[in-house]
Amino acid sequence: MNTSSADYIPFDVSQYERQTTLSNLELTILSNRSYRSDWCYLQSEIPGLMRPLIDLATHSGVSMRLAIISVAAILWNISKTGKPHWLWTESQWLTLLISKAGSRPYLASVAYHLGGFRVPQRLDKFRHPATYASFIFGHEVFRHEHVRLSRALRSLGYAALHLEQFLSSVLGTLMLENGDPRLETFTEELLLKGQQHRSEGVARSIGKVSHGLAAMGILSKPIRMRGYISWREKSIEGIDPAWVMWCRRWRDTSTLRPHTRESNYSFLLRTGLWLKREQPDTAAPIDWSMSTCAAFIAAVDRMTVGEWALKSAKGTNFKGLGQPIAANSKRSFLHALRRFFTDFELWGWGRLKFSPRYHLATPRSVTFNSGINPRVIDDSTWLKLIWASLNLERNDLLSEIHYPLSMVQALAVIWTHAGLRSNEIMRLDKECAHFQTNDVVHEDGTITPAGSLCYLDIPASKTFKPFVKPVAIAVKKYIDAWLKDRPINQAALFDERTGRKVSYLFQFRGKRIGSGVINGTIIPILCAKAGVPLEDSRGRITSHRGRASAVTALASVPQGMSLIELMQWSGHSSPNSTLHYIRVRPTKLAASFIKADQMANMVSILIDHDVIARHSDEPYTFYDLGDSYCSNPFWSSCPHRMACAGCDFNLPKASARAQALESKSSIGRYLEAVPLTPDERAIAEGDLEKLKGLIHKLDNVPTLDGRTPIEIGIKNQGN
């Protein structure tokens, strides 16, 4: 790559003797139309006026035809004004430039170098800044710097077609603003000024250029995108200036992360709208009282979508406009205000008349209805998405997206296999994946051989410090494939969460992937590949639902991870967060309940305490079998339990003995846990058909005295 700056020599106007007055001969010649187009005659008769104009025509590269027309227009205006063109005012140059005479870029070059008019951007019809820059600074210089910057951006992943759409215009704009076409003279201040350009396209492309300059070593780091700067500019219309002052002071002082700070700042300004309408006498934090807090909580609880919207948010397509806001939104609103008032007192700005912690606490009804709701993806859909992530091909891409196929494949596999938040995926370091180099010996003595999995370095998240987690070996495979295609000349980017410069894994064209890539690109591609809709039984498939599915799957399989293990693998600082992922499967909960429900296995027994007191050999334990009692103390292990007709231990409830037993004062009723089969349970509940079937099924099974039920029946018939 050619990294050397162009050999640029500015056009030197000091070599010309720029007269301040015109002779009568010059005025006579210039007033003659035929003379104004005869260059040979003009060069011989008025060389002082012509030589700089001809030299600039050569410098700019304008065609001879357009040069003759343009120079004639300049000479005509000299004759009208009676002054040489280097003495013209700005308005006189603007008058000439807006006319249709000659070549406007060449005229702008003359105005720039000879007339001191260095802002052609002021023209109402200013178009194609690259053309103006080429004429003013020279075509060769512009082409040289354009090629240098193009090569740097292509090394970052920009395609030639994409560069054609923005680079020339942005480069020309920056050259004109800088007054010097050499890239080495471009500064961060110049680019920040360029972000305020009237053209949205130019302003948004400044950030791309900064990545190229950073890759060339001209800038220490790329600059932030224009949207990041204007993002902070929120409307204050309808809000008391005193409240705005305190809100801005808090924003300028807070050390929260930018997104969180701006979100809370928006909540505070919207609170100002409510104050102006409902509490006009309350403009400063110290004016708030406990009754103000109560009124505000009530207002938030009844708030609807789109209510208290700032003027800067007008035109936003609010989903569910006019509907009650979600419980989580209410909680966030109150949390932002509590933080503001707590910081107000903590930083010594004043004393409040209430306690933010207690008087602005989130109501229990709101807390009850809010919280984590991972909404696990349907099992059948999730399995298809996993398959799709491992089998993506180029023809599966839904559009000519500018991300390489290997990058899309790596993103898809990490989403389906690693159980990460979207922010964690975006912030992975390019060196995050490591092979399992040693065997893993388990507690039961089994071994997982080296190379069976890989380890992933997870960056610090909102609730967890950096940690390492094991993931499927496929993750490492697809990451390595992407690293082979990943552009290498990309400057490390500043990570706001850690304060370090990071070479992100998913960094392309000098920028980290956007937050909407997974939801807006990866998931639609996977759904199309898998042949499933973008929605399942619980709504639209999103990045976080994929994380919930990955975590839940690990908790749902036999011998799955424990709560603590899941907590560490998921990056949760509290087990309560992890429990949300474990609880979401009612089928697993039902299965566990059936195993653990002891009440379902309880059988009623009667114990005769008189027999126990006499130390008699008579039966003292009687199992309640519905229509009869069994006096066999080993009934729970008897193969014929619930099929007791004809058994010597069986005592029908209709008999006199059973009635006497039930009436005895010494009888105690107890419960004993006995696991019953479905057939046995049906019999206990009075299902006679089940009873008959079970009796016949056990006809040839010996009882405790050695006889089978058939033999017992024959004996009874003989009697």
Side-chain angles (χ1 to χ4, degrees), residues 598-630:
Q598 294 296 319
M599 292 302 296
N601 299 325
M602 293 295 180
V603 175
S604 177
I605 61 173
L606 278 63
I607 297 185
D608 191 343
H609 293 277
D610 286 345
V611 176
I612 298 174
R614 296 196 306 268
H615 301 285
S616 173
D617 294 332
E618 297 177 19
Y620 63 87
T621 303
F622 302 88
Y623 288 86
D624 190 342
L625 307 181
D627 293 332
S628 64
Y629 295 107
C630 180

Side-chain angles (χ1 to χ4, degrees), residues 392-401 403-406 409:
L392 279 180
E393 300 174 342
R394 182 164 298 282
N395 57 7
D396 294 318
L397 303 182
L398 299 180
S399 64
E400 293 298 325
I401 59 174
Y403 291 134
L405 174 63
S406 58
Q409 291 171 325

Side-chain angles (χ1 to χ4, degrees), residues 173-247:
T173 300
L174 292 174
M175 285 180 174
L176 293 172
E177 190 68 43
N178 190 43
D180 193 321
R182 293 170 294 181
L183 297 179
E184 276 68 20
T185 65
F186 287 13
T187 63
E188 183 176 340
E189 289 74 20
L190 173 67
L191 269 62
L192 291 174
K193 188 176 182 180
Q195 286 187 321
Q196 308 303 321
H197 195 271
R198 63 186 181 184
S199 170
E200 182 73 13
V202 171
R204 291 179 62 86
S205 299
I206 294 292
K208 301 174 183 178
V209 172
S210 75
H211 286 281
L213 295 175
M216 298 171 69
I218 296 173
L219 295 181
S220 60
K221 63 180 186 303
I223 65 173
R224 291 175 172 175
M225 298 293 109
R226 181 175 184 247
Y228 210 93
I229 296 175
S230 60
W231 175 42
R232 297 186 174 93
E233 303 305 323
K234 296 178 173 61
S235 171
I236 59 174
E237 184 177 344
I239 308 174
D240 193 296
W243 181 258
V244 173
M245 184 273 293
W246 286 111
C247 294

Side-chain angles (χ1 to χ4, degrees), residues 386 389-390 410 412-420 432-436 448-449 451-458 468-480 550 554 561 569:
I386 293 174
S389 70
L390 297 170
V413 170
I414 290 177
W415 178 65
T416 56
H417 287 73
L420 297 178
C432 64
H434 312 280
F435 274 119
Q436 172 205 357
T448 300
S452 301
L453 50 85
C454 72
Y455 295 101
L456 207 59
D457 295 335
I458 311 302
V468 180
K469 69 189 304 180
V471 293
I473 194 67
V475 174
K476 173 67 172 171
K477 170 188 172 184
Y478 283 92
I479 287 178
D480 288 346
L554 295 176
M561 286 184 168
W569 194 86

Side-chain angles (χ1 to χ4, degrees), residues 608-611 614 659-668:
D608 191 343
H609 293 277
D610 286 345
V611 176
R614 296 196 306 268
Q659 293 176 3
L661 179 69
E662 293 176 346
S663 64
K664 289 182 65 173
S665 60
S666 62
I667 294 295

